[in-house]
Amino acid sequence: MDQSEARGWLQAALAEARAGLGEGGIPIGAALYGADGKLLGRGHNRRVQDGDPSLHAETAAFRAAGRRRSYRGTTMVTTLSPCWYCSGLVRQFGISRVVIGEAVTFHGGHDWLAGHGVEIVLLDDPECIDMMRAFIEHQPDLWNEDIGE
């Protein structure tokens, strides 16, 4: 995947992360794109806002995309390396590629996904890194709750 295209797609996930932060939640956003590049769904982590521990950004984007016969050829774009729960979603439904804004503040399951044939595009995006570092510094208890520590 072209880095320029990946960075363009990341913008939808970043907008979602900013929205989540603005709502008092955890600043992680995601977007699911079709093989044709069409945006299928987007969302952000709403664990705090909805009191739902399963409502991660990738889950929200996946739900917003709606039911499909197959997810092969789709790309999940996320501002942060996906946790094990979200990595499982990608694997379970056969999502072909994951574009990751950053894995500096949290190294999730993307190596495992790569080992199972999922294409991983890691961008090391400075805005994603800075947003998460600031959040972790100011909300360590909420962050640790989100990652299960």
Side-chain angles (χ1 to χ4, degrees), residues 10 13-14 16-22 24-30 44-45 47-48 56-58 78-83 100-108 122 124-148:
L10 180 64
L14 265 168
E16 289 292 332
R18 287 186 214 106
L21 184 61
I26 299 162
I28 303 170
H44 54 274
N45 185 304
R47 295 182 75 249
V48 173
H56 289 203
E58 296 88 342
T78 180
T79 57
L80 185 65
S81 179
C83 69
I100 301 167
E102 68 105 344
V104 172
T105 62
F106 180 75
H107 192 101
L122 182 55
D124 290 324
D125 182 79
E127 183 177 355
C128 291
I129 295 168
D130 291 346
M131 189 180 333
M132 282 311 301
R133 279 186 173 152
F135 178 78
I136 293 166
E137 179 182 337
H138 293 98
Q139 299 282 343
D141 291 339
L142 189 54
W143 171 245
N144 287 329
E145 175 189 327
D146 190 60
I147 60 172

Side-chain angles (χ1 to χ4, degrees), residues 36-51:
D36 61 358
K38 178 183 175 193
L39 178 62
L40 303 174
R42 56 193 279 174
H44 54 274
N45 185 304
R46 295 194 52 85
R47 295 182 75 249
V48 173
Q49 299 91 313
D50 293 358

